[in-house]
Every structure is written in C-alpha cells, then in structure tokens.
C-alpha cells in the first residue's frame, strides 16, 4: 500500500510541476499573459508541497526518484498537450528513467 500511495503522490506531483512549467511556458513563449504565468507559479508551489507528503524522510532521494517520473511525464504531457510524437529513443530513455526511479525509491534497504 505504501508503494501505491507513493506512486500516486509522484503522479500528482508530476501533474502540478509539469503543468505549472507548461503554463509558464505558455504565458511567456506563447504570449498568453501574466494569468497563465501566475497559475503556473502557483502550480509549481503545489508540486513542492505534494512532494513533502512522501513517507521517505530523505529529500535527496525523493527528488532524485521524482526526476524519473518528471522525464516520462514530460514526454507524455507533450504528447497530450502539444501533439509531440516521441521517437524510440525518447521512449527508451523514459523507461530507463522510470526504472531508475523505482530502484532509488522502492529497492529494499536494510536499515
């Protein structure tokens, strides 16, 4: 159950961080304005708060593991939001990152 909760938190965090960064991008690069930028900044703050809900107490481990989720999630976001078509190297790289995330976060440790 802890792994399922942790994975769900990583997904929620990814939605807020990637979504927040995308909103800022839209506000600046696509000239959509300050409201988009502000919404993005708020979403990025929520991402930071969600990350604190992980049960592991090690900030470095949480953030490192989340990096794998961020890589795969960014490619997925690009596909949905921007019509991005990943190639086989994008997909392979994302899978490698997710495997690294799983190892960092969920490998058995003899504490």
């Amino acid at each position: 159950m802890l792994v399922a909760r942790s994975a769900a938190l990583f997904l929620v965090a990814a939605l807020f961080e990637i979504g927040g960064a995308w909103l800022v991008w839209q506000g600046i690069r696509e000239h959509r304005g300050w409201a988009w930028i502000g919404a993005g900044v708020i979403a990025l703050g929520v991402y930071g708060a969600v990350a604190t809900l992980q049960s592991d107490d090690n900030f470095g481990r949480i953030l490192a593991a989340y990096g794998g989720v961020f890589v795969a999630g960014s490619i997925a976001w690009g596909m949905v939001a921007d019509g991005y078509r990943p190639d086989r190297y994008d997909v392979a790289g994302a899978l490698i990152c997710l495997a690294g995330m799983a190892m960092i976060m969920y490998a058995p440790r003899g504490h």
Side-chain angles (χ1 to χ4, degrees), residues 10-92:
F10 278 133
L11 289 175
V12 171
L15 288 174
F16 280 107
E17 186 187 20
I18 298 164
W22 184 82
L23 287 166
V24 171
W25 177 284
Q26 293 296 308
I28 294 171
R29 297 278 303 250
E30 303 299 328
H31 310 288
R32 294 187 185 227
W34 287 102
W36 287 66
I37 296 167
V41 169
I42 290 167
L44 289 165
V46 173
Y47 147 72
V50 170
T52 69
L53 301 175
Q54 290 284 354
S55 61
D56 195 299
D57 290 331
N58 297 293
F59 172 80
R61 180 177 295 144
I62 298 297
L63 201 58
Y66 173 71
V69 175
F70 178 80
V71 169
S74 295
I75 290 173
W77 186 282
M79 291 171 62
V80 172
D82 297 325
Y84 175 67
R85 304 290 297 167
D87 62 22
R88 65 182 177 203
Y89 300 107
D90 295 327
V91 173

